[in-house]
């Protein structure tokens, strides 16, 4: 079944990635700050041996106060 989620990083090896683990450890407890987001893009990822390929499914422009 489809499970919507937000992917921030992906390790190529199923066993994990030492650099990603280190980055996560170093960023724990640090406030991310704020950002302006002008658009949301929905992607479908096609995973394969050569890495992920991404297909844009939809775009939604954001506006606000």
């Amino acid at each position: 079944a489809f499970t919507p989620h937000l992917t921030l990083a992906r390790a190529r090896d199923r066993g994990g990635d030492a650099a990603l683990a280190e980055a996560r450890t170093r960023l724990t407890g640090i406030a991310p700050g704020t950002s302006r987001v002008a658009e949301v893009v929905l992607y479908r990822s096609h995973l394969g041996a050569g890495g992920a390929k991404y297909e844009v499914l939809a775009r939604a422009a954001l506006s606000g106060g």
Side-chain angles (χ1 to χ4, degrees):
F2 176 69
T3 304
H5 65 280
L6 175 65
T7 301
L8 300 177
R10 183 187 312 254
R12 288 185 184 269
D13 185 347
R14 287 194 177 269
D17 181 300
L20 285 177
E22 172 66 17
R24 185 179 135 222
T25 299
R26 295 179 81 159
L27 293 171
T28 299
I30 296 175
T34 60
S35 299
R36 286 190 183 265
V37 178
E39 179 182 45
V40 175
V41 182
L42 178 65
Y43 291 93
R44 172 180 287 146
S45 57
H46 302 275
L47 305 180
K53 304 289 186 207
Y54 300 98
E55 172 188 4
V56 175
L57 298 179
R59 293 178 180 272
L62 303 176
S63 63

